[in-house]
Amino acid sequence: MDNKDTTHSHLLSFLNAIPPVDFCCVYGSTLHSTDPGKSTMVDYILGVSDPLQWHSENLKMNADHYASWMVLLGGAKLITNVADKLGVGVHFNPYVTWNNKMLKYGVVRMHDLIQDILNWESFYLSGRLQKPVNMLVDNLDIETINSVNLRAAVSAALLLLPPKFTEEDLYAKICSLSYMGDVRMLFAEDRNKVKKIVQGQFDLFQSMYKPFLEDYEGKDFLRFSSSKNQLANISQDCGLPVTHSHISFLPPTVRSQMGMKIGKKKVISESGKVGNGNELGFGSREEAAKCMQKALRRTVMVSSARQAVSGVLTVGGVKAARYLTSKMCKAWRSWTRT
């Protein structure tokens, strides 16, 4: 068994220690690390049909995963109420020690996960799934559903990019979408985070987005030029018809917010469909891009703030302080490194 198979088997084995899940993916810096022996936290996202029932079972099996005295007193009902009403529907347990590894896992209702993928309602987990992940369990075929999310990410990134750019620029812009407005980026994230993610997982970004780029090339939205061993240089059609096409691929929630920002009170037709680029009436690509950016920035800002408050309440002060300190140290090193 090679190192890749061993790692996959090890990641899967954690699922035997918790109640069953409908979806599981692993993400973060350890997933595709060039140094497998490096001791860093492994990040899981777990999708379940009923978080209340799941946490009730997990509290019986793994009470030590829940550090907050509020959680231990309030139980699973408190966890789900805080996640749903204060947070964005995700409860995280960080600093879980299992089999000599440090883990963090977030638990989300499957319905909420799918809605965020399709509509970017919180742009929290949908943003995570625009970056490379390792799917370990996928009972509801989230990988196929996520193709809508990936196409929307490409179109959103292209609206924000100039007429000419590199393939790395494109993936960096996609990667940065879900960080726009994130309160953590102000003081608790590495300023080079996006660059490190893209450069460290470039081949995975390529495989994720290749079908959509080929499709856009076939439609003459994009033109590629490159030579062997060089990154592709890309030029794009910035005309209004293509701009309207990109807008039409954005999630309905985003298009609705864009319509309201330009004073379109009726952006949803009688059939329930949200207007496309033509119907929203943007007169220029710059206007559409600016409007979309404002909508995404606000969504991310609200979601990240809500999730931060939810985390402090349910994770507990000690773990929250430990996690924040770790993040701030990374951020400080990135700002002071020459």
Side-chain angles (χ1 to χ4, degrees), residues 9-21 44 58 61-62 98:
S9 177
H10 179 80
L11 294 172
L12 269 174
S13 61
F14 170 64
L15 300 182
N16 296 324
I18 58 176
V21 300
Y44 288 80
N58 199 41
M61 297 170 63
N62 303 295
W98 181 82

Side-chain angles (χ1 to χ4, degrees), residues 92-107:
F92 280 97
N93 280 336
Y95 294 109
V96 172
T97 303
W98 181 82
N99 204 9
N100 297 319
K101 275 287 188 180
M102 193 71 74
L103 313 176
K104 178 182 75 175
Y105 62 88
V107 181

